[in-house]
Amino acid sequence: MSVNHLQKIPNIIRDNIRRKILSWYDENRRIFPWRAEKGQVPNPYYVYLSEVMLQQTTVATVDDYFRRFIKRWPDLKALSMADLEDILVEWQGLGYYSRARNLHKSAKLLADFPCFPQAPEGLMGLPGVGDYTAAAVASIAFDHPIIPIDGNIMRVFSRLFRIDVPFTNLKREVFLYTSPMAKGERPGDFAQSLMDLGAVVCRPKNPKCDECPLQTCCQAFLKGETSKFPVPKERIQKLVRFGIAYVLLREGQIFLEKRPEKGLLGGMTAVPTTPWLVDFVDQGDLYSPEKGLDWEIMPRQVKHTFTHFHLHLTVKVAVSQNSPAGIWAPLETLETVALPTLMKKVIECVPDGFSLDPCVKPQGY
Ligand code: SF4
């Protein structure tokens, strides 16, 4: 169905969909620590925090993190006064640290505000808040009539209305269907009911159409074509980039540095690396933190995947002779440093007991 057909969807069908899914939601809503109980007023801080955590992370993973966060920083004021390093340590494993930094910046801004911005336009003024997060917070926390369009909601709508545009262009098309439908009673519950339906019933594979409240108005179901929607996006091969990570050791310590603010893992504490390039060439000591050392190449490469590329890092290890200036972190307490997952993988590459004497290798190495 094309956009031109949108006007032909009678209001009665839209109202029917709203009514059915809201009554399904009342019986089947998922329980989350950040979600208000039925009839309760949502806590905007909980909604905002969870939406930031849920970007690119599953609800199952976020559950634990969220509980730890609100135990330690129960409200925005507490979060605004937190030490950024403590937040980054708690964030470990949740993906991009820029989100934690933006969360902290937003908390500081909001702590001075008389009230939480309620409309998407106001929310988008907060650091790191894009159109999806703004729509999600506005609808869930403040009943603003807008539907945040995520992958689940795109899938539900593409099937409901047999929207035959490729996944890459689907969001814009779905928006044309959701915007008139967002208006009506309980906008926040309506948005969450669509999220839940997409996650639990209208699953990517084998949707549970027999349990779906929208079965009788789902055009893909009625035509036996649920597996054809959404129309898949063309598969794009991710590029592979290469580089070297340098693990420099001295008596029970490891050399770390702050990465430049701009770029991937910006501002994070990390072992020094070369740039990460598709056509990488090892340029000897050019990027190593200490020149003239006998760098050992670890037998295993570290492989890590970012959103747009795969990274293969060769790990080189050496014992420092001149102790260059920088951060020398004790290996024993390394878990208290907010290290990105990639850097943990790099350090794990070095066998336990790697000798400070370059002539002595640990057993099995
Ligand atoms: Fe999805 Fe099936 Fe429900 Fe249609 S009937 S919305 S395909 S679960």
Side-chain angles (χ1 to χ4, degrees):
M1 180 178 289
S2 77
V3 176
N4 296 334
H5 290 82
L6 187 58
Q7 293 86 329
K8 294 182 185 168
I9 300 170
N11 280 348
I12 194 164
I13 293 186
R14 293 180 199 163
D15 293 347
N16 199 17
I17 289 174
R18 285 190 61 93
R19 193 174 38 77
K20 285 182 178 206
I21 197 167
L22 278 171
S23 99
W24 172 84
Y25 182 68
D26 286 340
E27 299 299 320
N28 298 281
R29 66 212 308 275
R30 291 179 294 172
I31 308 291
F32 297 126
W34 53 86
R35 187 175 266 184
E37 288 181 19
K38 195 174 169 185
Q40 299 291 305
V41 178
N43 178 331
Y45 169 57
Y46 285 12
V47 176
Y48 170 50
L49 177 61
S50 65
E51 285 301 330
V52 175
M53 288 182 164
L54 284 165
Q55 291 165 8
Q56 300 172 323
T57 316
T58 63
V59 288
T61 306
V62 166
D63 199 295
D64 266 2
Y65 282 91
F66 179 85
R67 288 176 198 275
R68 278 208 307 274
F69 253 73
I70 57 163
K71 192 166 175 203
R72 195 160 177 187
W73 302 296
D75 52 33
L76 268 176
K77 187 84 189 162
L79 190 66
S80 73
M81 294 191 300
D83 190 308
L84 178 60
E85 273 303 306
D86 290 340
I87 296 176
L88 294 175
V89 169
E90 287 290 356
W91 197 266
Q92 287 182 63
L94 265 182
Y96 294 111
Y97 288 86
S98 55
R99 288 191 269 136
R101 271 201 204 87
N102 283 331
L103 191 65
H104 192 223
K105 282 186 201 158
S106 297
K108 281 176 177 290
L109 278 174
L110 289 169
D112 296 332
F113 258 52
C115 61
F116 214 103
Q118 302 193 2
E121 300 75 27
L123 287 158
M124 281 179 73
L126 296 174
V129 173
D131 55 356
Y132 174 80
T133 305
V137 175
S139 72
I140 298 171
F142 302 111
D143 260 343
H144 193 89
I146 189 167
I147 296 175
I149 303 172
D150 65 359
N152 284 336
I153 291 181
M154 282 198 270
R155 185 168 59 255
V156 171
F157 274 81
S158 73
R159 288 171 175 165
L160 263 181
F161 298 108
R162 293 179 69 245
I163 303 174
D164 57 356
V165 300
F167 201 85
T168 332
N169 304 323
L170 188 56
K171 187 169 180 179
R172 200 181 46 211
E173 190 86 357
V174 166
F175 176 75
L176 297 166
Y177 287 77
T178 56
S179 47
M181 225 179 248
K183 298 180 182 75
E185 57 166 341
R186 300 167 60 194
D189 283 349
F190 182 55
Q192 291 176 96
S193 68
L194 287 165
M195 291 172 179
D196 283 14
L197 189 84
V200 179
V201 178
C202 194
R203 305 175 303 186
K205 286 186 182 151
N206 305 319
K208 298 179 181 171
C209 300
D210 289 347
E211 298 173 22
C212 181
L214 306 181
Q215 193 193 69
T216 54
C217 40
C218 175
Q219 297 185 22
F221 174 78
L222 295 173
K223 288 200 178 284
E225 292 180 343
T226 55
S227 60
K228 290 190 183 166
F229 297 92
V231 177
K233 61 181 162 193
E234 295 142 43
R235 254 191 135 51
I236 300 169
Q237 285 281 329
K238 280 186 185 176
L239 291 175
V240 182
R241 295 192 193 179
F242 302 88
I244 294 170
Y246 296 96
V247 176
L248 184 61
L249 301 167
R250 76 177 184 195
E251 313 265 343
Q253 294 177 319
I254 182 169
F255 181 80
L256 301 172
E257 62 179 18
K258 288 270 181 203
R259 289 182 64 82
E261 284 297 328
K262 292 238 155 91
L264 277 167
L265 310 182
M268 295 303 302
T269 307
V271 302
T273 74
T274 62
W276 307 335
L277 303 170
V278 173
D279 51 357
F280 176 77
V281 178
D282 186 348
Q283 297 182 69
D285 261 351
L286 185 59
Y287 293 99
S288 71
E290 187 173 335
K291 316 297 177 203
L293 294 179
D294 183 16
W295 290 94
E296 290 283 349
I297 298 176
M298 294 293 103
R300 186 163 61 84
Q301 270 196 331
V302 168
K303 295 186 177 168
H304 193 77
T305 297
F306 290 98
T307 311
H308 300 298
F309 65 93
H310 300 293
L311 177 65
H312 293 188
L313 280 183
T314 297
V315 180
K316 292 189 178 182
V317 186
V319 176
S320 175
Q321 305 291 330
N322 296 319
S323 294
I327 307 164
W328 284 97
L331 288 163
E332 269 184 1
T333 55
L334 209 51
E335 71 276 6
T336 61
V337 180
L339 283 177
T341 305
L342 168 64
M343 294 303 153
K344 288 183 182 165
K345 287 188 193 172
V346 166
I347 293 166
E348 280 163 12
C349 251
V350 183
D352 278 348
F354 188 88
S355 177
L356 291 179
D357 176 351
C359 301
V360 182
K361 300 289 181 295
Q363 278 192 340
Y365 173 65

